mmCIF file of all heavy atoms in Angstrom:
data_model
loop_
_atom_site.group_PDB
_atom_site.id
_atom_site.type_symbol
_atom_site.label_atom_id
_atom_site.label_comp_id
_atom_site.label_asym_id
_atom_site.label_seq_id
_atom_site.Cartn_x
_atom_site.Cartn_y
_atom_site.Cartn_z
ATOM 1 N N THR A 75 197.805 209.469 43.964
ATOM 2 C CA THR A 75 198.231 209.119 45.325
ATOM 3 C C THR A 75 199.425 208.171 45.334
ATOM 4 O O THR A 75 200.136 208.076 46.335
ATOM 5 C CB THR A 75 197.072 208.450 46.091
ATOM 6 O OG1 THR A 75 196.714 207.248 45.428
ATOM 7 C CG2 THR A 75 195.898 209.384 46.208
ATOM 8 N N GLY A 76 199.647 207.443 44.265
ATOM 9 C CA GLY A 76 200.731 206.465 44.220
ATOM 10 C C GLY A 76 200.383 205.186 44.946
ATOM 11 O O GLY A 76 201.239 204.330 45.157
ATOM 12 N N LYS A 77 199.117 205.041 45.337
ATOM 13 C CA LYS A 77 198.680 203.872 46.077
ATOM 14 C C LYS A 77 198.333 202.757 45.097
ATOM 15 O O LYS A 77 197.759 202.981 44.044
ATOM 16 C CB LYS A 77 197.472 204.237 46.931
ATOM 17 C CG LYS A 77 197.025 203.133 47.842
ATOM 18 C CD LYS A 77 195.879 203.581 48.731
ATOM 19 C CE LYS A 77 195.435 202.418 49.584
ATOM 20 N NZ LYS A 77 194.319 202.772 50.434
ATOM 21 N N MET A 78 198.682 201.514 45.476
ATOM 22 C CA MET A 78 198.448 200.340 44.640
ATOM 23 C C MET A 78 197.097 199.733 44.983
ATOM 24 O O MET A 78 196.782 199.516 46.152
ATOM 25 C CB MET A 78 199.558 199.306 44.893
ATOM 26 C CG MET A 78 199.349 197.964 44.230
ATOM 27 S SD MET A 78 199.589 197.953 42.463
ATOM 28 C CE MET A 78 201.296 198.286 42.324
ATOM 29 N N ASP A 79 196.302 199.472 43.945
ATOM 30 C CA ASP A 79 195.053 198.741 44.127
ATOM 31 C C ASP A 79 195.360 197.272 43.856
ATOM 32 O O ASP A 79 196.003 196.941 42.869
ATOM 33 C CB ASP A 79 193.985 199.230 43.143
ATOM 34 C CG ASP A 79 193.514 200.642 43.472
ATOM 35 O OD1 ASP A 79 193.595 201.021 44.656
ATOM 36 O OD2 ASP A 79 193.095 201.350 42.537
ATOM 37 N N GLY A 80 194.917 196.371 44.709
ATOM 38 C CA GLY A 80 195.201 194.949 44.568
ATOM 39 C C GLY A 80 196.456 194.572 45.357
ATOM 40 O O GLY A 80 197.121 195.399 45.967
ATOM 41 N N ILE A 81 196.768 193.281 45.359
ATOM 42 C CA ILE A 81 197.927 192.769 46.092
ATOM 43 C C ILE A 81 198.953 192.280 45.064
ATOM 44 O O ILE A 81 198.699 191.322 44.334
ATOM 45 C CB ILE A 81 197.520 191.628 47.039
ATOM 46 C CG1 ILE A 81 196.505 192.143 48.067
ATOM 47 C CG2 ILE A 81 198.744 191.060 47.737
ATOM 48 C CD1 ILE A 81 195.923 191.071 48.939
ATOM 49 N N GLU A 82 200.083 192.970 45.040
ATOM 50 C CA GLU A 82 201.119 192.658 44.062
ATOM 51 C C GLU A 82 202.198 191.782 44.702
ATOM 52 O O GLU A 82 202.692 192.078 45.789
ATOM 53 C CB GLU A 82 201.733 193.950 43.533
ATOM 54 C CG GLU A 82 202.731 193.746 42.426
ATOM 55 C CD GLU A 82 203.278 195.052 41.896
ATOM 56 O OE1 GLU A 82 203.323 196.040 42.648
ATOM 57 O OE2 GLU A 82 203.671 195.084 40.732
ATOM 58 N N ILE A 83 202.551 190.700 44.037
ATOM 59 C CA ILE A 83 203.627 189.815 44.485
ATOM 60 C C ILE A 83 204.844 190.113 43.614
ATOM 61 O O ILE A 83 204.813 189.930 42.398
ATOM 62 C CB ILE A 83 203.235 188.326 44.332
ATOM 63 C CG1 ILE A 83 201.947 188.012 45.083
ATOM 64 C CG2 ILE A 83 204.367 187.426 44.768
ATOM 65 C CD1 ILE A 83 202.067 188.160 46.579
ATOM 66 N N LEU A 84 205.924 190.567 44.224
ATOM 67 C CA LEU A 84 207.139 190.933 43.496
ATOM 68 C C LEU A 84 208.092 189.729 43.456
ATOM 69 O O LEU A 84 209.124 189.713 44.111
ATOM 70 C CB LEU A 84 207.806 192.137 44.160
ATOM 71 C CG LEU A 84 206.960 193.400 44.248
ATOM 72 C CD1 LEU A 84 207.641 194.456 45.100
ATOM 73 C CD2 LEU A 84 206.672 193.935 42.857
ATOM 74 N N TRP A 85 207.755 188.759 42.664
ATOM 75 C CA TRP A 85 208.565 187.539 42.619
ATOM 76 C C TRP A 85 209.867 187.742 41.855
ATOM 77 O O TRP A 85 210.821 186.976 42.029
ATOM 78 C CB TRP A 85 207.776 186.363 42.062
ATOM 79 C CG TRP A 85 207.233 186.561 40.669
ATOM 80 C CD1 TRP A 85 206.028 187.088 40.317
ATOM 81 C CD2 TRP A 85 207.891 186.231 39.451
ATOM 82 N NE1 TRP A 85 205.885 187.108 38.962
ATOM 83 C CE2 TRP A 85 207.032 186.579 38.402
ATOM 84 C CE3 TRP A 85 209.122 185.674 39.138
ATOM 85 C CZ2 TRP A 85 207.350 186.395 37.067
ATOM 86 C CZ3 TRP A 85 209.448 185.488 37.813
ATOM 87 C CH2 TRP A 85 208.573 185.840 36.793
ATOM 88 N N GLY A 86 209.990 188.757 41.074
ATOM 89 C CA GLY A 86 211.237 189.062 40.377
ATOM 90 C C GLY A 86 212.340 189.446 41.348
ATOM 91 O O GLY A 86 213.498 189.056 41.173
ATOM 92 N N SER A 87 211.994 190.197 42.381
ATOM 93 C CA SER A 87 212.976 190.569 43.410
ATOM 94 C C SER A 87 213.462 189.346 44.166
ATOM 95 O O SER A 87 214.646 189.222 44.481
ATOM 96 C CB SER A 87 212.364 191.562 44.398
ATOM 97 O OG SER A 87 211.990 192.737 43.743
ATOM 98 N N VAL A 88 212.539 188.423 44.439
ATOM 99 C CA VAL A 88 212.902 187.184 45.127
ATOM 100 C C VAL A 88 213.819 186.350 44.237
ATOM 101 O O VAL A 88 214.817 185.785 44.698
ATOM 102 C CB VAL A 88 211.636 186.388 45.540
ATOM 103 C CG1 VAL A 88 212.005 185.047 46.123
ATOM 104 C CG2 VAL A 88 210.785 187.198 46.505
ATOM 105 N N LEU A 89 213.505 186.272 42.948
ATOM 106 C CA LEU A 89 214.339 185.521 42.014
ATOM 107 C C LEU A 89 215.735 186.143 41.924
ATOM 108 O O LEU A 89 216.748 185.430 41.937
ATOM 109 C CB LEU A 89 213.684 185.491 40.630
ATOM 110 C CG LEU A 89 214.435 184.737 39.543
ATOM 111 C CD1 LEU A 89 214.585 183.269 39.911
ATOM 112 C CD2 LEU A 89 213.733 184.889 38.211
ATOM 113 N N SER A 90 215.822 187.454 41.885
ATOM 114 C CA SER A 90 217.113 188.136 41.833
ATOM 115 C C SER A 90 217.933 187.858 43.096
ATOM 116 O O SER A 90 219.133 187.568 43.022
ATOM 117 C CB SER A 90 216.902 189.637 41.668
ATOM 118 O OG SER A 90 218.123 190.311 41.640
ATOM 119 N N ALA A 91 217.295 187.937 44.262
ATOM 120 C CA ALA A 91 217.997 187.654 45.519
ATOM 121 C C ALA A 91 218.423 186.194 45.590
ATOM 122 O O ALA A 91 219.517 185.880 46.086
ATOM 123 C CB ALA A 91 217.101 188.001 46.706
ATOM 124 N N THR A 92 217.587 185.285 45.083
ATOM 125 C CA THR A 92 217.931 183.862 45.081
ATOM 126 C C THR A 92 219.134 183.601 44.180
ATOM 127 O O THR A 92 220.046 182.854 44.546
ATOM 128 C CB THR A 92 216.726 183.014 44.616
ATOM 129 O OG1 THR A 92 215.617 183.291 45.479
ATOM 130 C CG2 THR A 92 217.039 181.548 44.644
ATOM 131 N N LEU A 93 219.152 184.235 43.004
ATOM 132 C CA LEU A 93 220.301 184.090 42.107
ATOM 133 C C LEU A 93 221.566 184.647 42.756
ATOM 134 O O LEU A 93 222.636 184.043 42.657
ATOM 135 C CB LEU A 93 220.024 184.785 40.775
ATOM 136 C CG LEU A 93 219.025 184.091 39.857
ATOM 137 C CD1 LEU A 93 218.718 184.978 38.650
ATOM 138 C CD2 LEU A 93 219.552 182.746 39.410
ATOM 139 N N SER A 94 221.452 185.771 43.440
ATOM 140 C CA SER A 94 222.615 186.338 44.140
ATOM 141 C C SER A 94 223.132 185.378 45.194
ATOM 142 O O SER A 94 224.339 185.157 45.320
ATOM 143 C CB SER A 94 222.251 187.667 44.802
ATOM 144 O OG SER A 94 221.944 188.630 43.851
ATOM 145 N N PHE A 95 222.218 184.786 45.940
ATOM 146 C CA PHE A 95 222.612 183.830 46.974
ATOM 147 C C PHE A 95 223.292 182.612 46.361
ATOM 148 O O PHE A 95 224.337 182.159 46.844
ATOM 149 C CB PHE A 95 221.390 183.388 47.795
ATOM 150 C CG PHE A 95 221.700 182.244 48.711
ATOM 151 C CD1 PHE A 95 222.401 182.451 49.889
ATOM 152 C CD2 PHE A 95 221.310 180.952 48.396
ATOM 153 C CE1 PHE A 95 222.699 181.398 50.728
ATOM 154 C CE2 PHE A 95 221.600 179.895 49.227
ATOM 155 C CZ PHE A 95 222.292 180.116 50.396
ATOM 156 N N LEU A 96 222.713 182.047 45.304
ATOM 157 C CA LEU A 96 223.287 180.856 44.684
ATOM 158 C C LEU A 96 224.671 181.129 44.102
ATOM 159 O O LEU A 96 225.579 180.303 44.231
ATOM 160 C CB LEU A 96 222.349 180.309 43.605
ATOM 161 C CG LEU A 96 221.052 179.675 44.119
ATOM 162 C CD1 LEU A 96 220.158 179.287 42.954
ATOM 163 C CD2 LEU A 96 221.358 178.475 44.998
#
Side-chain angles (χ1 to χ4, degrees):
T75 62
K77 186 176 178 181
M78 172 73 66
D79 291 333
I81 299 173
E82 185 178 28
I83 304 295
L84 301 172
W85 59 270
S87 298
V88 174
L89 180 62
S90 179
T92 303
L93 287 173
S94 294
F95 170 76
L96 290 175

